[in-house]
Amino acid sequence: MSISPDLAGRVYPAGDPYIVGREKIREFAAAVKATSAAHFDVEAAGALGYADVVAPPTFAVLIAQRADAQLIADPESGIDFSRVVHADQRFTHHRPIVAGDELVTELHVDTVRAMGGGAMITTRAEISTTGGRHVATTISSLLVRGEE
Amino acid sequence: MSIDFDSLSVGDSIGETVVSVNRADLVRYAGASGDFNPIHWNERFATEVGLPGVIAHGMFTMGSAVQLVTDWVGDPGAVVDYQTRFTKPVVVEDVAGASPTDAAGTEISVSGKIGTRDDDARTVRVDLTVSAAGQKVLVKSQAVVRF
């Protein structure tokens, strides 16, 4: 099954909020070998002006990949997950993510470009608080390799 | 923040570091990130799909490389934009004879220098060079830091 160019422009609306946990930030920070005390210690984060521990710069991938999963799971997308290669990634932070945030994500399929027998799909996740404040924009390009 | 923005110039080095990654680190990242793709932990599956072996998550490499920047600036929240392209996989061997948890692992070398400075926004763009086994594994890896 090939990737439909009609996917471009599709928007997947926000689902249930993602609740950012203090322990999840600590776990993720340890997993990327981050050592800044602001990821682990509420007082150290407070000294930098944060209400709680602050997420590492790539933490939002957890939230963005949940949104991407909606697209990959959509039977109309024709994406075989086993053929997906992560080609590039960008995070733009409008403000840092901290523990306690309740975040919702709207996923936009920006472009679909045929490449060989496959396609390069660029998605954009717009992440906001449940109160409507914009927190982060993540952009990912996924290369779906064609069948050999 | 101890760094004085006005003292920074394009071309200045922000330093360098080495991140070591073994199979245990990949298991930990899989669990923390929820990315359980078997190419990151199962040799048989990885080679069947044409990879040279188990490879690190691109997002592990991206996430660990930026630590050089957050340590330099002293505030993880100062990184307002961070992007990269993934070019080459980081192969992580199961080292014979080594304890699985303490195995030395693959070394990822990270260095950074200031690529641009924006006086109005009070930001600098740090350009990272990230390589493993002598090859660049991330390309156009850029972190924008706000002062």
Side-chain angles (χ1 to χ4, degrees), chain A residues 63-135:
Chain A
I63 302 160
Q65 281 182 349
R66 285 178 170 225
D68 276 343
Q70 284 184 283
L71 166 67
I72 291 165
D74 183 345
E76 287 178 36
S77 78
I79 299 172
D80 174 358
F81 184 60
S82 71
R83 311 193 74 83
V84 170
V85 177
H86 200 177
D88 61 59
Q89 180 69 44
R90 180 172 192 169
F91 300 90
T92 303
H93 293 283
H94 311 296
R95 72 130 165 94
I97 294 171
V98 295
D101 280 343
E102 299 195 3
L103 303 175
V104 288
T105 306
E106 191 177 74
L107 185 76
H108 298 253
V109 182
D110 279 346
T111 58
V112 177
R113 211 153 36 93
M115 286 187 71
M120 182 76 87
I121 302 176
T122 300
T123 62
R124 171 170 49 92
E126 296 290 357
I127 302 173
S128 312
T129 64
T130 49
R133 191 166 165 211
H134 205 184
V135 173

Side-chain angles (χ1 to χ4, degrees), chain B residues 7-137:
Chain B
S7 73
L8 301 175
S9 304
V10 170
D12 285 356
S13 168
I14 69 154
E16 55 186 48
T17 190
V18 173
V19 178
S20 178
V21 54
N22 64 20
R23 292 283 179 92
D25 294 318
L26 298 186
V27 171
R28 181 175 296 110
Y29 186 79
S33 68
D35 182 345
F36 293 102
N37 188 328
I39 61 173
H40 304 304
W41 51 270
N42 187 290
E43 187 88 23
R44 176 172 51 81
F45 185 88
T47 50
E48 274 174 14
V49 298
L51 292 166
V54 165
I55 62 167
H57 303 75
M59 286 305 308
F60 169 84
T61 306
M62 184 183 191
S64 59
V66 78
Q67 174 74 2
L68 179 71
V69 181
T70 55
D71 281 352
W72 171 71
V73 73
D75 177 1
V79 178
V80 293
D81 196 288
Y82 180 35
Q83 65 176 312
T84 198
R85 280 188 208 143
F86 304 99
T87 46
K88 295 272 185 210
V90 175
V91 178
V92 180
E93 309 265 1
D94 179 18
V95 184
S99 150
T101 48
D102 298 333
T106 302
E107 291 194 340
I108 301 171
S109 305
V110 184
S111 63
K113 63 179 185 183
I114 294 177
T116 61
R117 174 178 136 159
D118 183 332
D119 289 347
D120 295 330
R122 288 185 69 78
T123 58
V124 294
R125 192 190 76 209
V126 176
D127 296 343
L128 293 172
T129 301
V130 183
S131 21
Q135 286 193 306
K136 282 192 182 179
V137 293

Side-chain angles (χ1 to χ4, degrees), chain A residues 12-38:
Chain A
Y12 293 83
D16 290 337
Y18 179 92
I19 316 295
V20 179
R22 188 183 288 167
E23 299 304 341
K24 193 67 191 180
I25 286 182
R26 288 170 171 158
E27 179 191 9
F28 186 86
V32 292
K33 304 199 170 196
T35 55
S36 168

